[in-house]
Amino acid sequence: MNNSYHFDINQNKNQTIPLIYKLAKMENADDKDIQTAFRQFPKGDNGIFKKSDLTVSLIEFLKTSQLTLTPHELKTLRQNLKSKEVRSISGVTPVTVLTKPFPCPGKCIFCPNDVRMPKSYLSDEPGAQRATRNRFDPYAQTFNRLVAYKALGHSTDKIELIILGGTWTSYPEPYQIWFVKRCFDAMNDFDTFTLPNPIETKMDIPFEDKLLEEVDGTELNKTYNQIVSMAILPKKSQSETEHATWDELFNVHSQNESSETRCIGLVIETRPDEITETEVIRIRKLGATKVQIGFQSLDDEVLALNKRGHDSSVTANAVGILRRAGFKIHAHWMPNLYGSTPEKDIEDYRKIFSDPRFKPDEIKIYPCSLIASAELMQYYKKGLWKPYTHDELTHVLEEAYKLTPLYCRITRMIRDIGSQDIVVGNKKTNLRQTVEINIKNQKADIQEIRYREIRGKKVALEDLKLKVAEYDTSVSTEKFLQFVTNENQIAGFLRLSLPNQDSPHFIEELDGAAIIREIHIYGESLNIGEK
């Protein structure tokens, strides 16, 4: 497994093994104590180790019996290595997996064209790196992510499975069924009471290294779709193995209902013009509960200039169908697109929540960054597009914070793209933190969910009060029930949808029914049955 990680595990073991033993004996250590220990065993000329370095080393050393730790020491070690508590502080543990590279129906000029990845993703992004290490094998991606969480001390009982990779609905149905089934197979096979070894996959990937050297670059004679099709279509043997039946999928769904590693939510992402009533019924059959959907902009002129391929009415129709079917709606929005301005963007964001056809439950804000392989590069070279200044961008994001209603969560405020991949545009990874500091200095009243989450704070039930917010959409009346503290911090919520009864429902079972679209309790993820 050494080649799966960013550093040589065995080359560094003379430093990592004693550091692991030291951390295993440090009970009740705080962050300062842990950082001191890390500095005592430096990484040669390359600074200090990261917790993730020790985590992958620990997995390898346990696998090869190079460590002897008591159960109590292992528990202490995992607690001290536990990082990114935010991963499970929202009450569930997210497992993100990527689909293989595949032709995309979109022609957006801002989209990167990394042929090693599914459309719109870059190979240097953390999730993409994990997918590559696992050769886009859904089973290996899921299982090995659970291994990593377990090693870090996170609960793996309640999993939100997030399937990313361009336009999910453009993949063949047999591949979709197989992909979801294999993710569920991994969760059903995972033993939550021990630390399993990582597994390796022998799956083919679309490109081997030699071919990558030939096709990877910014000046491609062929389109992304042409290159990916050339690599995928000849692999008929693989397409035959990437196949499962609906009955096989329903069987693993049923098994997972009593599994120790239980999927409590399944997320897919797609384009608005891929959403139809028939498609939504099929997504439901797969087990999906949330759809990430690319709004990008609601300005029809901006959408056209960026070759999005549809207008805002298509987005509105897609949101209505998804809401009527009970899905959680997670929008993607991009300021600084070609043809927009800071002023236009602020008004565009305002429309997202003032127009009853939209009003998503969650939103990711991804400021447009220039990637060399994107068609936008040609516009930049001609002087037709340029990135916002830092002040312009932070102003747009600050206003977005202020305009976000209490029922919506700003999940992310920056795309996890390495600065080496960005030609021009924001390269600051702490942009959200900067924006939040500015907002606090302005003493702005921020209502969005993530800003108000209790996170690791302990609260008593008697200190919480129920508040109900009601808002109308084009297809329903929504009631947002939330338990909050006296400081308006949110401990949990429920989304109750009361659909309009204008016409018979396209899903017979939901005709005339109220729908609980989501219930969520914040705080560190607990094991199933634990209070």
Side-chain angles (χ1 to χ4, degrees), residues 82-88 93 149-150 152-156:
K82 189 173 183 179
S83 62
K84 295 187 177 179
E85 192 177 44
V86 69
R87 294 290 186 190
S88 57
T93 303
Y149 275 131
K150 193 69 175 178
L152 288 168
H154 292 285
S155 169
T156 56

Side-chain angles (χ1 to χ4, degrees), residues 30-57:
D30 58 22
D31 287 341
K32 185 177 180 180
D33 296 332
I34 293 170
Q35 287 302 313
T36 299
F38 271 80
R39 285 193 292 271
Q40 289 175 351
F41 298 91
K43 196 178 180 180
D45 297 330
N46 299 317
I48 64 173
F49 292 103
K50 297 182 292 186
K51 289 185 177 182
S52 58
D53 295 337
L54 261 65
T55 299
V56 296
S57 298

Side-chain angles (χ1 to χ4, degrees), residues 225-239:
N225 285 356
Q226 288 172 326
I227 295 171
V228 171
S229 295
M230 287 168 55
I232 289 177
L233 293 181
K235 295 182 180 292
K236 292 182 179 179
S237 60
Q238 183 164 320
S239 65

Side-chain angles (χ1 to χ4, degrees), residues 14-267:
N14 288 338
Q15 290 79 37
T16 55
I17 286 180
L19 175 55
I20 285 172
Y21 277 125
K22 182 176 182 65
L23 292 170
K25 297 182 183 298
M26 293 174 57
E27 297 187 51
N28 302 315
D30 58 22
D31 287 341
K32 185 177 180 180
D33 296 332
I34 293 170
Q35 287 302 313
T36 299
F38 271 80
R39 285 193 292 271
Q40 289 175 351
F41 298 91
K43 196 178 180 180
D45 297 330
N46 299 317
I48 64 173
F49 292 103
K50 297 182 292 186
K51 289 185 177 182
S52 58
D53 295 337
L54 261 65
T55 299
V56 296
S57 298
L58 171 64
I59 294 170
E60 179 69 12
F61 295 154
L62 289 174
K63 177 183 176 182
T64 54
S65 302
Q66 296 184 62
L67 284 172
T68 303
L69 295 169
T70 67
H72 182 74
E73 287 174 332
L74 188 57
K75 181 179 179 181
T76 301
L77 175 64
R78 289 178 187 166
Q79 188 60 43
N80 288 335
L81 287 180
K82 189 173 183 179
S83 62
K84 295 187 177 179
E85 192 177 44
V86 69
R87 294 290 186 190
S88 57
I89 204 68
S90 292
V92 296
T93 303
V95 170
T96 300
V97 295
L98 262 69
T99 51
K100 67 182 180 182
F102 198 79
C104 174
K107 298 179 181 179
C108 312
I109 67 171
F110 49 78
C111 198
N113 291 286
D114 187 336
V115 295
R116 295 166 291 186
M117 290 288 116
K119 196 69 161 68
S120 85
Y121 287 86
L122 291 166
S123 57
D124 288 337
E125 294 178 85
Q129 290 177 345
R130 291 194 297 269
T132 302
R133 289 199 295 266
N134 291 288
R135 303 177 77 83
F136 298 98
D137 182 340
Y139 186 98
Q141 288 185 74
T142 304
F143 195 95
N144 290 337
R145 191 63 173 144
L146 293 171
V147 170
Y149 275 131
K150 193 69 175 178
L152 288 168
H154 292 285
S155 169
T156 56
D157 281 34
K158 292 179 287 186
I159 301 300
E160 182 178 49
L161 179 65
I162 304 170
I163 303 176
L164 302 181
T167 304
W168 167 261
T169 44
S170 68
Y171 286 79
E173 182 178 282
Y175 177 84
Q176 294 182 32
I177 299 171
W178 169 82
F179 195 97
V180 174
K181 176 187 178 294
R182 291 301 287 158
C183 292
F184 273 80
D185 283 337
M187 288 183 280
N188 290 341
D189 291 346
F190 188 72
D191 182 354
T192 60
F193 297 105
T194 62
L195 182 64
N197 294 326
I199 61 154
E200 298 191 32
T201 178
K202 297 181 179 179
M203 278 185 61
D204 290 334
I205 54 175
F207 296 110
E208 301 301 335
D209 291 341
K210 183 178 179 181
L211 183 56
L212 264 178
E213 293 171 1
E214 298 170 0
V215 301
D216 187 32
T218 59
E219 303 296 334
L220 299 175
N221 294 322
K222 295 183 174 66
T223 66
Y224 171 94
N225 285 356
Q226 288 172 326
I227 295 171
V228 171
S229 295
M230 287 168 55
I232 289 177
L233 293 181
K235 295 182 180 292
K236 292 182 179 179
S237 60
Q238 183 164 320
S239 65
E240 291 170 359
T241 60
E242 295 174 353
H243 180 280
T245 66
W246 284 109
D247 285 342
E248 289 172 328
L249 176 60
F250 297 155
N251 183 48
V252 296
H253 279 170
S254 180
Q255 291 177 40
N256 191 252
E257 291 176 7
S258 57
S259 172
E260 297 292 347
T261 302
R262 202 167 301 174
C263 183
I264 54 81
L266 196 164
V267 187

